[in-house]
Amino acid sequence: MPFLLTDEQKQFGQSLDALLRAAGTPAVLRAWAAGDHGPGRALWGRLADAGVFALAVPEAYGGVGPLPVEAAVACVELGRHAVPGPVAETLAAGVLLAGAGGPVAEEWLPGIASGAAVVSLTLEGYGPYAPDADAADAVFTVTGDVLRLAPGPGEPSASADPARRLFRPEPGGAPVAKGPAIRAAARAAGDTAAFATAALALGCGEELLRATVAYVKQRTQFGVPVGSFQAVKHRLADTLLGLEFARPLLYGAAVELASEVSRTGAGTGSAEGSPGAGAAVAAAKVAAGEAGYAAARTALQLHGAIGYTEELDLAWWLRRARPLRDAWGTPSACRARVLAG
């Protein structure tokens, strides 16, 4: 079935692109990596004003969602501009808390939708680390059918991306919700986090390809642009194909998630963690993650030694591609889920 974004969805993406171009994200990234979260939080507020974080929050709690297609459009743009902060985790928390319901949803979901609350989280089966927990207003953890608010961000761990720091949340914390609904909501939140990360990876890969094409057009060797060499053209074409094949899988997963919302009427995304929607998300995640990482490898090779210098803004995208590929579902785990689904 053909799938095209509506004019409104395209305009939404274009408006975010314009907003982020004006924001100067490389400077925001450098400040975030240095522990200065002020510029990043200010940018987060502008994105919230544009409606980004409300996309995962039901209308009953001040949001407009869940709207998976619009969330994909937004996250591709945020990935293209390497916006710092726990974007996928905050969107996933919107789904998790909506599924939990009760006082914890009433307390946190309006803040997530408005941008007042930045949230990170960990879920069973996805590793023990909460990205950017030191900058988050809350870190939620789910173990079995118990949802807890972590008492602190915990100790930092090594990360390939200095603007995406990893923390193992402090153990304990009083339960804020429990029961079978938490287990189902956690499955839906895991799908949302993987889906958003896939979109971020696709956007990251697109920017890496764009910057590399621009560079090989102006870099010369033997008196001609290196972009005219056949081997360079083939490498760039392969990179483009990987990204373009990942794109329909991403939006196909968005349609599956939207259909699941319509089917369940739950307003919390893939509320039952359906195998079909989960497999579609996994397929999108592995394709977009691998394509983004391949774009990083191409960018590094064709830029040469300058590609990994701190002075070049591109280095921030290079260091982000592999962590996005592996976060919220490694390639092997995603492939296994596709086969199982």
Side-chain angles (χ1 to χ4, degrees):
M1 180 180 70
F3 175 83
L4 293 173
L5 295 174
T6 65
D7 289 340
E8 290 80 6
Q9 290 163 343
K10 292 177 183 177
Q11 290 166 6
F12 179 49
Q14 291 165 359
S15 68
L16 291 177
D17 178 54
L19 184 159
L20 292 167
R21 286 185 186 281
T25 52
V28 177
L29 279 164
R30 286 184 164 85
W32 191 274
D36 178 7
H37 301 132
R41 290 295 295 253
L43 177 58
W44 193 279
R46 293 198 290 275
L47 290 170
D49 291 341
V52 170
F53 302 108
L55 295 172
V57 176
E59 292 182 16
Y61 298 100
V64 296
L67 296 174
V69 176
E70 286 76 6
V73 171
C75 287
V76 168
E77 293 302 327
L78 270 60
R80 195 195 314 276
H81 292 275
V83 171
V87 172
E89 292 73 24
T90 296
L91 293 173
V95 172
L96 173 66
L97 298 179
V104 66
E106 295 172 0
E107 178 181 359
W108 288 99
L109 285 178
I112 289 175
S114 69
V118 177
V119 177
S120 192
L121 80 164
T122 65
L123 301 173
E124 276 189 312
Y126 290 99
Y129 298 114
D132 298 305
D134 61 330
D137 300 297
V139 180
F140 291 99
T141 65
V142 176
T143 305
D145 59 1
V146 179
L147 171 64
R148 287 184 168 87
L149 180 61
E155 292 297 320
S157 299
S159 174
D161 181 358
R164 189 176 182 276
R165 302 175 67 196
L166 300 177
F167 291 80
R168 188 187 292 266
E170 291 180 9
V176 293
K178 62 176 63 177
I182 299 303
R183 196 179 294 270
R187 288 195 297 269
D191 285 348
T192 299
F195 171 70
T197 303
L200 293 169
L202 179 62
C204 179
E206 289 179 347
E207 175 58 21
L208 285 163
L209 178 60
R210 183 209 63 79
T212 305
V213 169
Y215 181 72
V216 299
K217 284 182 177 179
Q218 57 90 21
R219 179 188 172 193
T220 59
Q221 195 171 38
F222 307 116
V224 297
V226 298
S228 65
F229 299 160
Q230 195 76 358
V232 172
K233 291 180 179 180
H234 285 179
R235 185 69 184 267
L236 291 170
D238 289 343
T239 302
L240 176 62
L241 283 173
L243 294 168
E244 289 302 317
F245 274 103
R247 190 185 315 280
L249 289 174
L250 176 69
Y251 286 109
V255 171
E256 287 283 350
L257 290 172
S259 297
E260 184 68 12
V261 173
S262 298
R263 185 184 70 80
T264 62
T268 59
S270 181
E272 301 300 323
S274 77
V281 169
K285 177 63 171 59
V286 69
E290 294 282 33
Y293 182 49
R297 292 169 63 89
T298 296
L300 182 58
Q301 181 180 22
L302 297 185
H303 276 81
I306 193 176
Y308 53 80
T309 59
E310 287 284 347
E311 291 75 17
L312 189 71
D313 289 341
L314 188 75
W316 295 95
W317 280 259
L318 287 171
R319 289 183 288 194
R320 179 152 294 199
R322 182 161 183 171
L324 287 176
R325 184 195 72 169
D326 295 338
W328 295 105
T330 62
S332 60
C334 288
R335 290 188 178 97
R337 191 172 185 191
V338 171
L339 292 174

